[in-house]
Structures are given as C-alpha cells and as structure tokens.
Amino acid sequence: MKNPTSKDYQEIKAVFDRWIDAASARDIDAIMALYHDDICSYDAVGPLQFNGYAEYRAHWQRCMPDQREMIFQSQEPVIRASGHLAVAHFLIRCGVREADGSEQASWMRATSHLEKRDGQWRIAHEHFSVPFDLENGEAQFGLQP
C-alpha cells in the first residue's frame, strides 16, 4: 500500500511524525510509547541488537545524557501495509547541535516493521544503518540524499 489517503497509511505516517517530535523533544516516554514491548532494534549506535522494551529504553536514556539539542529530520517514508503488518523505509538525519551552533549529524538509512495490535500501529522492529566505504571500512557520514 502506497496510498497516502488510506487510513492505515495515515496512522502509520503519524507514528513516524510522533517519533520525530518525541525524539527531538528528548521525551523518552513518548518515544517508547511507539514501540511494542517485544521491540527488536538494530540501531546505528551499538551493540548489535536490542531486545525488548526495557533494554531499548535504557539505550535511549544513554543516548540522551546531556542537554545538547537533538536533530531528527526524516524524509517521507515509503509505507507498505497489508492487514496487521507494515514495512516502511526512509532516510533520516540524526545527531546533535552544540551550543556554538555546530552540528554532529548525518543521514542514515532506516527500515521499520510495524504491527497493528489491538487496533494500534506500533514499531516491532527497526533498523538504522550508516553506509561504509568498502575499501577502507570507514563510515560515510557525509553523504546527502
């Protein structure tokens, strides 16, 4: 389904809009409300995998230890849904803005698997990644969409 006028599309898009708002506001409770309890995440920040609500919440708390401004900017997701399952992919810019205005941010790739349980779409699995250069193994943080 790639129909932006469908009810499921609008509900799923709203999940990502709320995610951007919550992450930008550093609101961990609002972020975590968008995930199922059995979330599995492959975040760009290690370790390799996070399993379950408590583990992923602890990760978010570690990712926001100071008062720097968070940067979260997403391109429009491509959403495909059928029944109670959906997949979305998009590019997302993540990072922080320092007090002097400088930024430490980059574009990354994101894929999310959502499930509709009890009438509500939530994220069941997500994967964020940064491309790397095959020849030298270095992450390519400077790429632009």
Side-chain angles (χ1 to χ4, degrees):
M1 170 200 57
K2 211 176 166 185
N3 179 358
T5 61
S6 79
K7 183 178 183 229
D8 282 333
Y9 183 97
Q10 292 300 317
E11 289 175 359
I12 294 165
K13 174 73 168 70
V15 168
F16 293 116
D17 291 343
R18 288 193 312 270
W19 189 96
I20 290 290
D21 291 344
S24 297
R26 307 166 67 89
D27 186 342
I28 294 173
D29 289 336
I31 294 168
M32 294 307 300
L34 303 170
Y35 294 99
H36 285 295
D37 288 342
D38 58 351
I39 177 67
C40 174
S41 178
Y42 301 153
D43 202 338
V45 178
L48 286 176
Q49 173 176 315
F50 298 95
N51 286 301
Y53 186 93
E55 191 174 302
Y56 201 40
R57 181 181 179 82
H59 167 67
W60 272 102
Q61 289 170 321
R62 284 189 303 274
C63 286
M64 296 186 178
D66 58 36
Q67 295 303 314
R68 294 183 290 180
E69 180 183 346
M70 303 302 295
I71 298 169
F72 291 100
Q73 174 188 2
S74 173
Q75 289 191 327
E76 190 74 18
V78 173
I79 299 168
R80 290 187 169 79
S82 179
H84 69 283
L85 297 175
V87 172
H89 62 86
F90 50 95
L91 295 178
I92 185 166
R93 187 168 177 261
C94 300
V96 295
R97 186 169 292 112
E98 303 292 347
D100 65 5
S102 64
E103 294 182 355
Q104 295 178 7
S106 66
W107 284 97
M108 291 188 273
R109 302 171 292 201
T111 304
S112 294
H113 157 214
L114 298 93
E115 291 184 38
K116 190 174 193 176
R117 299 181 195 165
D118 300 322
Q120 188 172 24
W121 288 103
R122 287 197 179 131
I123 302 166
H125 173 75
E126 68 185 1
H127 186 155
F128 294 97
S129 65
V130 176
F132 71 95
D133 184 305
L134 187 59
E135 291 184 25
N136 61 23
E138 292 181 9
Q140 296 179 310
F141 290 109
L143 299 178
Q144 297 293 318

